[in-house]
Amino acid sequence: MKVFCGRANPTTGSVEWLEEDEQYDYHQEIARSSYADMLHDKDRNIKYYQGIQAAVSRVKNRQQKALVLDIGTGTGLLSMMAVTAGADFCYAIEVFKPMADAAVKIVEKNGFSDKIKVINKHSTEVTVGPDGDMPCRANILLTELFDTELIGEGALPSYEHAHRHLVQENCEAVPHRATVYAQLVESRRMWSWNKLFPIRVRSSLGERVIVPPLELDRCPGAPSVYDLQLNQVSPADFTILSDVLPMFSVDFSKQVSSSAACHSKQFEPLESGQAQVVLSWWDIEMDPEGKIKCTMAPFWAHSDPEELQWRDHWMQCVYFLPQEEPVVQGSVLCLVAHHDDYCMWYTLQQTSPEKNSRALPQVRPVCDCQAHLLWNRPRFGEINDQDRTDKYVQALGTVLKSDSVCLCVSDGSLLPMLVHHLGTEQVFTIESSAASHRLMKKIFQANHLEDKINIIEKRPEFLTPTDLKGKKVSLLLGEPFFTTSLLPWHNLYFWYVRTAVDQHLGPGAVVMPQAASLYAMIVEFRDLWRIRSPCGDCEGFDVHIMDDMIKHALDFRESKEAEPHPLWEYPCRSLSKPQQVLIFDFRQPVPQQLVHAEGSIELRRSGRNHGAVLWMDYHLTPDSTVSTGLLKPADEGDCCWNPHCKQAVYFFNPTLDPRVAPGGPQMVTYAVEFNPHTGDISLDFRLSDDLGTVH
């Protein structure tokens, strides 16, 4: 059966109706989920299996049948672990139908159908009784409902319902307990992901400063957590202000409450400084004695940093305090963790051992300045990047004139202010959304430029001469940055805008950036390859079952599509030099014909050939380029990526041997095609040896 799906094209800006198989999105969601990553998590798998074995043994020692309820079974792995450990029967709950169907096949293929019943329902819809989904309550509660924030996937409501309706009182639970930890730090880098800093505009006209509006400065920020690979943040980027503080624990073997709550912990600052950010993570204990523990602690807080388990399905959390606050070494403060049924947030309370001086707020902070709703955390960092601003200022200085008529096209950009401060009086900027219009108006007002910069709130293709006050544009300017962009080439929307406003460009008009290049480089990932690899690993449990898990969770036909990843969080080595594969000339309108390129990339280093990384370089002028990818040459193999952008990763087929060695494949051939009608870029990469044989 075919279905029509409406989609806003991020590159062309048009709304399209696509005919797709009704299962297509499900297949993509499974393939690009964290199932392979979880199944590669050796530490997680071992600890779960050990915890399940111990729980089944405790039940059997009481002369009871071991009846397991597995909520969120996914591939069915934990249910099969339970049966392998001696459980008499397992009820495996999975609400996502395509995954439930896959679990049924996996369970059947591995010979567990007689002891595992897969139930395709939300756990809160499961019934108990003679005519129900389960004949009686379970005495072992097995779950993996956790996200990086622990409770963000609804773990608390699910546990609360399960204890009331689906499991016996004093049941065994695996995991048995979770503990949330926090550490207060000062970090200008991380704080730049949350606040707009003053931005300096240095030119031959002097130095001007762009300041944030008071409303934005006072805003408590976005309520959502920022989850990332904290192990990739350099220790030089933050100052630790507190010890690691155990904030609260949840005992999953007893009744759990999803009601809002707060938990406070007194501490003395280790140093004086500005309290800005709370780093947070959790661990889970699989048994009541706490002997079987799985921790998300970053390397500096880990009991054995050499044994760190890389994982992407669980990372660490960055929370921003509503406002930065000075702390003094030796004083007594109180860090407070708040949570409702799905979210957590932190506040810092000035306190003394005798009495807390302020009431603890219970309401989750919400952005009231619009900026945190329109700009994500990397975008804040990008805008605050002074080096990037300096590069734009330098490039603009070579093309601007006092009588230039400038039209800026980007989402929520400060470029119109740069242009004005560089001496151009006639500045127009397009903001397609009302929310973005309001935000930029606040910023312009804070800098007394509301009468100097004309905001046009409409889609670029509807621009009229009246909007431009009858003037012709002499400089069309963009970063380019658009909030709808996911992959690097989605920002080619700038090219389509340039084409749409072609009639408004005057003779000899300058377009900046004047062109963009698509680059590709072959890499070996330290860890990211695991999210697309079929080789499962779990000591104490059959590896062939693990392989079946992953093979059913992923479709190993090469997707020929790239995925966006922030590669500064995922170290890799270059196996080739960067190669320009396509160039887009913004000085000309978008062409009508397909743009096709073929070639080969020489593999210059030995390693495991995991995939190709693609990114865009924007050529502001012939002498100035801004890259969304590599920030410096990868001469020694190690890559330094732009932290404000996601790069595109094209994973090679993981069923092929990806090793690069003497006598093996030495080249990667590619075919890249840009379709101007759809804005899509199709990719095809193949391994080949020196003789040209394709693998």
Side-chain angles (χ1 to χ4, degrees), residues 41-66:
D41 190 339
K42 181 177 178 180
D43 179 64
R44 164 195 180 268
N45 297 333
I46 291 174
K47 302 296 176 54
Y48 258 102
Y49 192 45
Q50 291 173 344
I52 291 168
Q53 286 179 310
V56 170
S57 295
R58 290 193 297 272
V59 170
K60 294 287 189 179
N61 289 340
R62 297 196 294 265
Q63 306 303 311
Q64 297 175 355
K65 285 188 174 182

Side-chain angles (χ1 to χ4, degrees), residues 483-659:
T483 56
T484 55
S485 300
L486 294 175
L487 291 164
W489 46 86
H490 287 168
N491 284 320
L492 286 175
Y493 177 56
F494 176 78
W495 201 9
Y496 289 84
V497 172
R498 178 258 179 270
T499 304
V501 303
D502 187 65
Q503 60 181 312
H504 302 292
L505 301 182
V510 174
V511 178
M512 180 186 291
Q514 65 177 26
S517 298
L518 176 65
Y519 278 87
M521 186 172 72
I522 312 304
V523 302
E524 174 188 41
F525 286 108
R526 182 193 300 173
D527 297 297
L528 188 63
W529 60 270
R530 300 175 192 272
I531 70 174
R532 297 292 173 261
S533 173
C535 303
D537 187 7
C538 178
E539 292 183 4
F541 197 65
D542 292 340
V543 173
H544 79 274
I545 293 177
M546 298 293 295
D547 281 335
D548 284 336
M549 303 291 109
I550 301 176
K551 288 173 182 175
H552 279 81
L554 298 173
D555 181 353
F556 283 121
R557 293 171 299 170
E558 205 164 12
S559 70
K560 300 190 184 300
E561 294 183 13
E563 307 172 14
H565 290 281
L567 291 188
W568 74 270
E569 297 183 52
Y570 303 100
C572 62
R573 293 175 58 248
S574 65
L575 301 184
S576 73
K577 285 187 174 181
Q579 183 150 324
Q580 181 181 338
V581 296
L582 281 180
I583 189 165
F584 309 94
D585 188 352
F586 298 154
R587 294 169 297 184
Q588 303 298 323
V590 175
Q592 293 300 307
Q593 68 277 14
L594 298 176
V595 180
H596 184 84
E598 295 183 5
S600 60
I601 303 174
E602 180 184 0
L603 300 174
R604 304 169 63 88
R605 296 183 181 88
S606 62
R608 297 186 68 84
N609 188 11
H610 290 133
V613 176
L614 300 104
W615 68 92
M616 300 286 282
D617 278 4
Y618 292 100
H619 309 295
L620 306 183
T621 68
D623 301 319
S624 181
T625 296
V626 173
S627 179
T628 67
L630 282 178
L631 293 184
K632 56 184 180 181
D635 295 332
E636 303 300 321
D638 293 333
C639 302
C640 178
W641 299 104
N642 186 326
H644 312 312
C645 306
K646 289 184 178 181
Q647 292 73 38
V649 179
Y650 181 105
F651 288 100
F652 296 153
N653 192 326
T655 60
L656 298 177
D657 184 355
R659 288 173 294 180

Side-chain angles (χ1 to χ4, degrees), residues 376-390:
N376 59 22
R377 274 60 180 260
R379 178 59 173 166
F380 266 96
E382 185 172 56
I383 292 174
N384 284 321
D385 187 336
Q386 186 65 54
D387 291 340
R388 182 176 181 273
T389 297
D390 292 342

